Amino acid sequence: MPNRLAHETSPYLLQHADNPVDWWPWSEGAFEEARRRGVPVHLSVGYSSCHWCHVLAKESFQDEVTAAVMNEHFVNIKVDREERPDVDAVYMEAVQAATGQGGWPMTVFLTPDAEPFYFGTYFPPAPRQGMPSFRQVLQGVHQAWDERRDEVTEVAGKIVRDLAGREISYGDAQTPGEEELAQALLGLTREYDPQRGGFGGAPKFPPSMVLEFLLRHHARTGAEGALQMAQDTCERMARGGMYDQLGGGFARYSVDRDWVVPHFEKMLYDNALLCRVYAHLWRSTGSEPARRVALETADFMVRELRTNEGGFASALDADSDDGMGRHVEGAYYVWTPEQLREVLGEQDADLAAQHFGVTEEGTFEEGASVLQLPVRDGLSDAGKIASIRERLLAARSERPAPGRDDKVVAAWNGLAIAALAETGAYFDRPDLVEAAVAAADLLVRLHLDEQARLTRTSKDGHAGANAGVLEDYADVAEGFLALASVTGEGVWLEFAGFLLDHVLVRFTDPESGSLYDTAADAERLIRRPQDPTDNAAPSGWTAAANALLSYAAHTGSEPHRTAAERALGVVKALGPRVPRFIGWGLAAAEAVLDGPREVAIVGPTLDEEGTRALHRTALLGTAPGAVVAVGAPGSDEFPLLADRPLVDGEPAAYVCRNFTCDAPTTELARLRAVLSG
């Protein structure tokens, strides 16, 4: 019989709806039940494409004996971290503080007042490698609760007090200047892997936000080292196994330092961020491989993640059926020489094996290889390789596909909107811009209420119940602002303003300028989460600083500019110390130092050839954080267009800083030079 999760919309929660565990969703009712029964709460946090979450569920949550222990001694709450990033953040902070590490699945035991007292991640079904079994953990926590409850509640109270003392007060410091950005670049240089690209050791994650900072820093200063680190990292990632050499798009991270073997799940946020990075790399260098990867990644998102409603699904699972009834990580993506021969025949299989690095020994498991590009492009017959790719992709499409998490996350769709809008504009792909507009329309129609408050998720055209957090407001505003610049439709600037007004009023500390991840009127947790550091995606804090700055450049709004600069005080403090984890804040700081530039393109109509040419040239400018408005003279859709006439009856471009402008130009070469950094 299905449990309470059967009524949820999260695919991850629905995966547990038939467990014998008497699961509750996160709710006040669950804690009331714990108080009524006098038992602790077992909180399990994961997400749909998490490999070890599925393993724990199969081994323990589907086991009748284990479930009986859970039901007898605990109230069990299951949380999708992608629906409730606030709940995840608060308890992950406690896990990391207590154990020195974290990850998913996350296992936390709480008092009925939601105070944590015991922590962990994955626990096996039987003891191994010094780890207790999950059932041993359950019995130990139950025994401690029954026999030493006063001690347990005292520990829980101390943990909550310690967490409350971690308030961040870096807001209202000065914005970072040349010295701090130079120190950040030096810190990145020290951590850079010159042989393999990227930063640090295994596992290796795509440093998307750091790459944006490096490209902006090069554009502003001409620092060749910054560009070289960005170029080499992008090349190594795109040639490695983390990039899908057949279908495009990136896996979440590489388990090794050489970008060979990925963790195969594909996340929307990674692909949106990396699509934009490669498009910006092409904009800076004209690199043909960067162009190819940007377009292939955009096409992957539209082809495999777009939902029927026009939004973008969250993720594809790492695991799929291997054709022998086993649910295996990477089964959809890896190849053996024999499988190549079955599809291609002997001669073409040998060429494919050489081109994609498929060996008899294999680079993954059981003799299978992850496809790579170990040989530089151009050494193989391009037409033949294109044919081989098409045939392999067609054969792969016949394999059992990985599961898809169909929920639409507002923040990640905002990132996708920005990436698709810009990529479509750069490469004359109006279909990509149309996909961005459709996703934006869905967010407005389904995720925004009459007060412009955001809902975090939707699925199958139905809005979820969870309120948007700071990253939702910031990333959706970022997407709308990019769409406004690309389409010339001022309504997207207006919607961005609505969202950013909420950031000013509901997410910002008026005294310090610090930002919180949840709104002042959001559900009260044991602490109000607040984290300025980037993880796999930009933090809400730094994403908000970027969006506020862009909106201020479009409108001249002093409150938004001031809020952005106050928020960037955290970058002054953390940038020189931990640059890898605040790259999007460093990118915002580059924009502040550059202005950012405000570009107004005026023409008789948006479709007029001269207007289009100036508009595209402006969008291709590399000046950090530049904003672009395009429209007819006198148009009231964009403040930047006010009092901007044509020049001798011709379309013209006005380039300004702080609403002080250079002389207008009608020449593409002049505009290109002015916006080249």
Side-chain angles (χ1 to χ4, degrees):
M1 180 178 178
N3 54 51
R4 293 173 186 82
L5 301 185
H7 304 293
E8 296 298 306
T9 58
S10 159
Y12 176 65
L13 298 187
L14 290 171
Q15 288 168 5
H16 295 78
D18 292 318
N19 291 168
V21 179
D22 185 19
W23 289 113
W24 290 71
W26 180 273
S27 61
E28 179 54 34
F31 291 98
E32 289 176 358
E33 177 69 4
R35 286 190 285 269
R36 184 186 69 79
R37 289 175 51 194
V39 298
V41 168
H42 160 237
L43 172 65
S44 178
V45 181
Y47 57 103
S48 179
S49 56
C50 165
H51 172 72
W52 287 103
C53 299
H54 294 308
V55 173
L56 179 61
K58 182 177 181 180
E59 293 173 342
S60 296
F61 301 154
Q62 295 175 18
D63 179 71
E64 297 280 354
V65 176
T66 304
V69 175
M70 295 170 67
N71 294 337
E72 181 179 359
H73 299 306
F74 303 92
V75 167
N76 300 283
I77 297 178
K78 175 58 73 174
V79 167
D80 181 343
R81 68 174 293 261
E82 296 171 353
E83 278 199 330
R84 291 302 303 262
D86 52 340
V87 172
D88 176 64
V90 164
Y91 292 104
M92 184 60 73
E93 186 176 14
V95 172
Q96 291 172 331
T99 68
Q101 59 187 3
W104 300 275
M106 177 167 60
T107 303
V108 187
F109 293 89
L110 318 175
T111 71
D113 293 323
E115 297 179 334
F117 62 86
Y118 188 82
F119 316 89
T121 51
Y122 164 79
F123 293 103
R128 66 171 181 250
Q129 298 176 346
M131 242 193 312
S133 72
F134 185 58
R135 209 178 298 169
Q136 286 176 325
V137 170
L138 295 172
Q139 295 287 6
V141 172
H142 163 62
Q143 185 175 357
W145 181 259
D146 266 10
E147 297 176 4
R148 305 192 306 278
R149 189 171 307 184
D150 289 346
E151 178 184 337
V152 168
T153 55
E154 182 180 347
V155 168
K158 182 178 185 304
I159 290 171
V160 171
R161 289 191 296 274
D162 288 346
L163 291 175
R166 296 182 173 213
E167 190 90 1
I168 296 171
S169 57
Y170 289 126
D172 221 14
Q174 291 182 337
T175 56
E178 295 284 0
E179 181 180 353
E180 288 81 15
L181 296 181
Q183 288 175 345
L185 181 63
L186 179 61
L188 290 171
T189 303
R190 289 170 177 156
E191 295 189 66
Y192 182 65
D193 184 341
Q195 277 73 47
R196 306 168 184 86
F199 301 88
K204 225 169 201 176
F205 288 81
S208 307
M209 291 71 73
V210 165
L211 293 172
E212 288 284 3
F213 161 62
L214 292 173
L215 291 174
R216 287 188 178 189
H217 189 76
H218 169 260
R220 188 179 62 82
T221 68
E224 289 299 325
L227 179 61
Q228 197 66 51
M229 284 191 285
Q231 283 182 300
D232 289 351
T233 298
C234 284
E235 179 184 351
R236 296 304 180 98
M237 289 193 300
R239 300 181 68 80
M242 200 179 75
Y243 185 67
D244 183 349
Q245 304 297 342
L246 298 183
F250 289 85
R252 185 162 171 250
Y253 62 86
S254 174
V255 301
D256 58 90
R257 297 181 66 182
D258 295 299
W259 309 105
V260 175
V261 178
H263 185 43
F264 289 90
E265 61 187 331
K266 284 181 168 181
M267 310 301 296
L268 174 61
Y269 54 75
D270 282 323
N271 284 283
L273 289 164
L274 288 167
C275 176
R276 204 176 185 192
V277 164
Y278 280 87
H280 290 172
L281 177 60
W282 172 84
R283 185 176 65 177
S284 296
T285 65
S287 162
E288 179 56 31
R291 176 185 183 277
R292 175 180 62 82
V293 172
L295 284 170
E296 288 178 356
T297 304
D299 286 336
F300 156 74
M301 287 192 287
V302 173
R303 183 182 67 247
E304 297 192 34
L305 294 179
R306 197 175 187 189
T307 68
N308 291 334
E309 295 74 33
F312 291 91
S314 298
L316 299 180
D317 286 356
D319 303 0
S320 59
D321 192 297
D322 67 350
M324 294 182 288
R326 299 180 302 173
H327 211 57
V328 177
E329 183 178 7
Y332 186 71
Y333 299 101
V334 298
W335 295 82
T336 64
E338 181 182 356
Q339 289 171 327
L340 293 181
R341 287 191 289 271
E342 288 174 359
V343 175
L344 302 172
E346 196 75 33
Q347 185 173 354
D348 284 354
D350 289 343
L351 176 59
Q354 179 184 14
H355 187 80
F356 291 118
V358 177
T359 66
E360 292 293 340
E361 299 79 15
T363 57
F364 185 50
E365 298 171 353
E366 300 181 4
S369 292
V370 183
L371 301 191
Q372 307 172 68
L373 289 180
V375 180
R376 288 188 176 273
D377 298 340
L379 299 184
S380 301
D381 183 297
K384 175 65 75 173
I385 292 300
S387 171
I388 286 172
R389 285 185 69 198
E390 289 177 7
R391 290 152 66 192
L392 291 177
L393 184 61
R396 192 179 78 176
S397 69
E398 300 298 320
R399 296 176 175 179
R404 188 173 86 163
D405 185 334
D406 277 336
K407 71 174 177 295
V408 172
V409 176
W412 305 351
N413 273 255
L415 297 174
I417 289 165
L420 292 170
E422 292 183 354
T423 303
Y426 296 169
F427 304 122
D428 194 23
R429 285 283 303 274
D431 59 309
L432 297 180
V433 179
E434 289 168 7
V437 171
D441 283 339
L442 175 71
L443 293 181
V444 171
R445 185 173 72 253
L446 202 60
H447 286 245
L448 274 180
D449 67 12
E450 294 179 354
Q451 287 78 44
R453 294 185 179 225
L454 269 174
T455 296
R456 169 77 174 171
T457 62
S458 67
K459 184 177 180 295
D460 298 331
H462 300 286
N466 299 307
V469 295
L470 179 60
E471 70 165 350
D472 293 306
Y473 285 84
D475 288 338
V476 173
E478 175 82 12
F480 287 174
L481 289 166
L483 207 53
S485 287
V486 165
T487 65
E489 296 177 3
V491 66
W492 301 117
L493 177 64
E494 185 177 4
F495 278 126
F498 294 153
L499 297 174
L500 294 172
D501 285 345
H502 281 293
V503 172
L504 295 182
V505 174
R506 299 172 57 228
F507 291 89
T508 304
D509 184 327
E511 297 299 321
S512 69
S514 297
L515 294 167
Y516 291 92
D517 294 330
T518 55
D521 53 356
E523 177 188 349
R524 304 296 293 180
L525 302 174
I526 57 170
R527 111 180 200 89
R528 192 176 177 189
Q530 182 187 43
D531 186 358
T533 58
D534 299 329
N535 198 291
S539 71
W541 187 315
T542 57
N546 268 283
L548 288 163
L549 186 65
S550 294
Y551 184 77
H554 263 294
T555 63
S557 168
E558 192 58 39
H560 292 83
R561 172 83 184 205
T562 299
E565 292 180 347
R566 295 178 79 191
L568 289 175
V570 73
V571 182
K572 183 179 178 70
L574 298 182
R577 291 162 43 197
V578 287
R580 282 175 58 191
F581 303 102
I582 201 153
W584 201 224
L586 291 167
E590 289 289 345
V592 170
L593 288 182
D594 195 67
R597 319 280 178 96
E598 307 136 3
V599 187
I601 307 295
V602 292
T605 67
L606 297 184
D607 293 331
E608 194 270 337
E609 183 177 351
T611 308
R612 289 203 316 270
L614 285 170
H615 182 211
R616 186 170 187 274
T617 300
L619 293 173
L620 291 175
T622 57
V627 301
V628 178
V630 60
S635 169
D636 60 0
E637 290 207 66
F638 292 94
L640 285 175
L641 300 178
D643 302 319
R644 303 280 189 260
L646 303 178
V647 174
D648 297 328
E650 296 293 324
Y654 295 78
V655 179
C656 318
R657 280 189 176 98
N658 298 316
F659 279 67
T660 300
C661 305
D662 297 335
T665 183
T666 61
E667 299 176 6
L668 298 181
R670 171 62 180 159
L671 178 60
R672 190 177 299 115
V674 169
L675 293 177
S676 63

